[in-house]
Structures are given as structure tokens and as C-alpha cells.
């Protein structure tokens, strides 16, 4: 039996730089390399891509073209772990079949239970959705508020947490619109504000081709291994939201090969990806946004996080803006009220790292221009620096 190859922390960091940090020729190539970009915070999409373009100064307009041109090059969708992502348009049907379709089913079930508290059933919901579709056909790219004016039943309210101190009334509009979007029936278009805004306009979506779940999961696992391997079974299950059985089947379908990490854990890489890794990783500095794919690709992230990294996370485990050097996190950054980008070192990697991070901070400031970016999930370090 052939000996299972060991992969050191240094080799994993070198791979991270080469695969997730190296400059790409264009926006779509960046997203393809990252597989999917977190989009819960709209600014993450732009800043994650900008950090990987040779000319980050034009990133905002380039990303907007890919998102909002007809036909689009990128698609925003609810997918893995019920999280919003941006993926390339050709990859979207596979991502939906592998992860998004299941989320859409759960969203509809939850919505019907929510509406039942107001006395409405599936037939009522079907009628309202038909009205929304008709309104968008007559008034493309309408905001949520505009849709509520066009479809009065969207203004109906449901009491939530009845009898609790925090009892409240909620309009049904956001839940109905979100469910229709999760099913790919409508889609987000250009926001009603700057590129950092989360208030999107809505339009009828072009239906995605129907694909089978099993081969779609295999294709997604292959893409993940190509970008984030070596990774453990637990890493892939966490990243996708799959069950352990589904994860193992997907790894088996692509013929994933086992390697051993420094801590003795078994991880997997693509077939044939078991050769020698570079002895030293390229030394590069990057300021990456909150929820950047490089920080969100694995469940276990201790191999690239420094001691004392707790302040980089909020109370629910969302990672904030990070400073990278040579494949590891060495600090965090924020934007002050005057627009200046500032950072704090957590791990000391010498004068060369300090100088490179300073240059990267200036470049990020140029990308931001006069726009003020506040992460949706704020961390202790980001709050302190921004003040």
C-alpha cells in the first residue's frame, strides 16, 4: 500500500496564497477560483474580488458590469448553509442543485408556517406570488417598497413571538420575496444606492436549468477541493451544509485522495494533486474583507490564524476584516470615519510585512475612494479601530 503523503502547515499556506490570493485576469476568473464569494454583506463581493485583480482601482465598476449586465456573468443566490453567495452564471445551476434547492424547499415550508399564524394558506400565497410576478412583468426592477405598493397583500402583517416581551408585527413582504428569490423565480438587480447597499431592486429571473443533486454535489466538491484542498471531510461538510453521508459520497465520486495534515487529521485533495508543494510560499500582503472566502473555506482555521485572534470574530463566529501575509492572518483592519484605512498587528512578521501591509492599505483606500464601508457583522477589533 502506498504511503499517505503528509502536508505541512507551511505547504497549506503556500497553496492558499497560490490559489486564493494570486492575481487573476478578470472578475469571473477570480470568482471561479474562489468557487463562491460570500454576499451576505454586499461590500464583501467587491472587496474580495478587488484584492485579487491586477488593477483593483477599477474593481467596483467591473463587478457591477458582471452582476447587472444582461445577460449577467455573475449570479447572487442563496445556497450553502443558507448563506448568500455570488457565483459565476454557468456554475449557478450546479450550485443550486447541490445546495440551493434544498434551502429553497426549507424556506417555503418556513414561510407557510409563518403565514399560517396570520390565517393564510398555500393557495393565498400562490395568488400573492402570481401578483408579484405580474407586477414585475409590468414594472421591471422594482424595489421591495415599490412591490408592496403594487401588490397590497404584501403589506399584510403577522404577529411573531406572540406573548413574549419582544412580540412584534412583521410584514409578509420580505419573507415572500426572499422565498421567490431562493427558488430562482425572481432575482436581485442593481441596489437602490451605492455598491455597499443591501436594498436591491427585483426583477423576473431567467429559470436555471434543472440538474440532478448527486452529480451537482460531486462537481461542487471537485471545485472546492481544487480551491481549498487539502481539506477534511468536516471542512467540506461545514462549507456546503451537507450531511456526512452526502459529503463522503461526493468525495468518493470525484476520487478524492487522502493526505495527512500536521495534526494527524486526514484531509483530501483532487486525484493526482499529491505531488510536492513549494518549499516556501510567496510573501504577499492583502487586506481582505469580512467573510472573505480565504477565511471561510474551512471549518478548522487554526493553521492560518494567530494566537489572540478572538477579536477578529463577532459573537456568532463571523470573521471580520483581516490582514494577510504569506498565507496567514497577522492582523485586522478597519476604516475610520474620515475614510482612512487603519490596521492592527496581531502577529509580528517583521519590517517587510509591515511595509507591504502599508502599501496594501493605501491601495485599498484608493479602491474605497469616498465610500465608507462598515461590515454587517462587526467585530471587537473592527469597532475599536474604526473609532
Amino acid at each position: 500500500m502506498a504511503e499517505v503523503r503528509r502536508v505541512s502547515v507551511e505547504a497549506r499556506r503556500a497553496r492558499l496564497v497560490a490559489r486564493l490570493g494570486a492575481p487573476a485576469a478578470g472578475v469571473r476568473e477570480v470568482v471561479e477560483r474562489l468557487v463562491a464569494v460570500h454576499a451576505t454583506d454586499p461590500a464583501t463581493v467587491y472587496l474580495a474580488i478587488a484584492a485579487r485583480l491586477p488593477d483593483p482601482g477599477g474593481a467596483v465598476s467591473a463587478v457591477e458590469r458582471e452582476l447587472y449586465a444582461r445577460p449577467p456573468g455573475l449570479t447572487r443566490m442563496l445556497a450553502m448553509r443558507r448563506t448568500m453567495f455570488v457565483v459565476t452564471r454557468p456554475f449557478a445551476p450546479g450550485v443550486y442543485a447541490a445546495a440551493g434547492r434544498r434551502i429553497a424547499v426549507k424556506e417555503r415550508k418556513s414561510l407557510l408556517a409563518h403565514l399560517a399564524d396570520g390565517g393564510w394558506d398555500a393557495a393565498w400565497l400562490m395568488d400573492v406570488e402570481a401578483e408579484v410576478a405580474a407586477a414585475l412583468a409590468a414594472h421591471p426592477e422594482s424595489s421591495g417598497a415599490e412591490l408592496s405598493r403594487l401588490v397590497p397583500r404584501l403589506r399584510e402583517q403577522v404577529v411573531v413571538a406572540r406573548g413574549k416581551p419582544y412580540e412584534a408585527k412583521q410584514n409578509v413582504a420580505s419573507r415572500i420575496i426572499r422565498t421567490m428569490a431562493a427558488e430562482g423565480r425572481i432575482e436581485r438587480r442593481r441596489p437602490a444606492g451605492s455598491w455597499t447597499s443591501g436594498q436591491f431592486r427585483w426583477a423576473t429571473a431567467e429559470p436555471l436549468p434543472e440538474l440532478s443533486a448527486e452529480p451537482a454535489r460531486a462537481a461542487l466538491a471537485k471545485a472546492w477541493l481544487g480551491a481549498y484542498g487539502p481539506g477534511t471531510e468536516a471542512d467540506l461538510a461545514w462549507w456546503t451544509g451537507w450531511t456526512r453521508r452526502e459529503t463522503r459520497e461526493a468525495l468518493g465520486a470525484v476520487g478524492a485522495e487522502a493526505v495527512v495534515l500536521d495534526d494527524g487529521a486526514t484531509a483530501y485533495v483532487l486525484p493526482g494533486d499529491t505531488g510536492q508543494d513549494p518549499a516556501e510560499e510567496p510573501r504577499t500582503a492583502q487586506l481582505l474583507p469580512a467573510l472573505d472566502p480565504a477565511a471561510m473555506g474551512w471549518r478548522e482555521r487554526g493553521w492560518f490564524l494567530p494566537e489572540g485572534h478572538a477579536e477578529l470574530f463577532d459573537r456568532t463566529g463571523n470573521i471580520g476584516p483581516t490582514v494577510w501575509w504569506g498565507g496567514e492572518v497577522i492582523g485586522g483592519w478597519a476604516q475610520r470615519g474620515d475614510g482612512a484605512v487603519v490596521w492592527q498587528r496581531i502577529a509580528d512578521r517583521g519590517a517587510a510585512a509591515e511595509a507591504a501591509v502599508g502599501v496594501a492599505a493605501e491601495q485599498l483606500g484608493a479602491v474605497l475612494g469616498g465610500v465608507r464601508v462598515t461590515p454587517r457583522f462587526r467585530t471587537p477589533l473592527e469597532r475599536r479601530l474604526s473609532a
Side-chain angles (χ1 to χ4, degrees), residues 18 58 81 91 131 142 207 226 255 266 270 289 366 368:
R81 303 189 315 281
F91 200 43
E131 290 180 26
S142 296
T266 299
L270 286 175
L368 294 172

Side-chain angles (χ1 to χ4, degrees), residues 47-52 284-290 292 320-325 330-335 341-344 353-354 356-365 368:
L47 298 182
I49 293 173
R52 296 167 172 93
T284 57
Q286 288 181 309
L287 274 65
L288 300 181
D292 185 86
T322 48
V323 177
W324 294 70
W325 170 253
I330 65 169
W333 66 272
Q335 190 182 19
V341 175
V342 294
W343 74 287
Q344 179 175 314
E354 294 272 345
V357 173
V359 172
E362 292 180 1
Q363 293 174 340
L364 176 57
L368 294 172

Side-chain angles (χ1 to χ4, degrees), residues 16 26 29 31-32 72 86 92 94 120 124 144 149-150 220 269-270 274 299 302 321 355 357 381:
L16 190 154
E29 183 180 333
V31 178
E32 286 174 356
V86 162
W120 302 300
W124 182 88
R149 288 195 294 270
L150 294 167
L220 186 57
V269 295
L270 286 175
T274 55
R299 180 181 179 182
V357 173
L381 181 57

Side-chain angles (χ1 to χ4, degrees), residues 45-62:
V45 178
Y46 293 87
L47 298 182
I49 293 173
R52 296 167 172 93
L53 290 176
D55 177 19
V60 170
S61 58

Side-chain angles (χ1 to χ4, degrees), residues 175-363:
R175 294 286 295 268
I176 293 174
I177 291 171
R178 185 174 69 191
T179 299
M180 294 180 71
E183 295 171 341
R185 298 164 63 187
I186 62 176
E187 63 184 6
R188 293 164 179 81
R189 294 282 178 88
R190 193 177 297 275
S194 76
W195 54 272
T196 65
S197 173
Q199 299 297 316
F200 294 97
R201 297 179 177 92
W202 297 93
T204 303
E206 180 182 345
L208 294 173
E210 283 286 333
L211 301 179
S212 299
E214 290 79 6
R217 285 196 290 266
L220 186 57
K222 183 177 180 180
W224 181 85
L225 286 173
Y228 301 94
T232 66
E233 180 184 293
D235 287 332
L236 179 56
W238 173 81
W239 189 84
T240 56
W242 296 338
T243 65
R244 285 296 180 90
R245 179 184 63 80
E246 290 168 340
T247 305
R248 290 169 184 163
E249 289 178 351
L251 288 170
V254 300
E257 298 182 9
V259 297
V260 178
L261 304 179
D262 272 358
D263 60 3
T266 299
Y268 296 90
V269 295
L270 286 175
D273 185 20
T274 55
Q276 291 297 316
D277 290 307
E280 294 185 3
E281 68 274 16
R283 295 295 176 179
T284 57
Q286 288 181 309
L287 274 65
L288 300 181
L291 301 177
D292 185 86
M296 295 294 293
W298 303 266
R299 180 181 179 182
E300 300 299 331
R301 290 170 269 189
W303 55 278
F304 61 74
L305 290 174
E307 293 185 11
H309 63 261
E311 282 197 314
L312 293 171
F313 291 82
D314 72 2
R315 293 181 179 179
T316 56
N318 297 301
I319 194 166
T322 48
V323 177
W324 294 70
W325 170 253
E328 64 174 329
V329 175
I330 65 169
W333 66 272
Q335 190 182 19
R336 292 197 311 235
D338 62 4
V341 175
V342 294
W343 74 287
Q344 179 175 314
R345 182 184 64 224
I346 296 177
D348 188 353
R349 293 299 179 262
E354 294 272 345
V357 173
V359 172
E362 292 180 1
Q363 293 174 340

Side-chain angles (χ1 to χ4, degrees), residues 131-150:
E131 290 180 26
V132 171
L136 288 177
H139 304 275
E141 301 204 15
S142 296
S143 68
E146 289 167 341
L147 281 175
S148 292
R149 288 195 294 270
L150 294 167

Side-chain angles (χ1 to χ4, degrees), residues 66-67 72-77 85-90 92 187 208:
E66 294 290 352
L67 281 170
L74 302 177
T75 294
R76 184 182 274 107
M77 62 191 304
F85 286 93
V86 162
V87 300
T88 62
R89 183 71 183 185
E187 63 184 6
L208 294 173

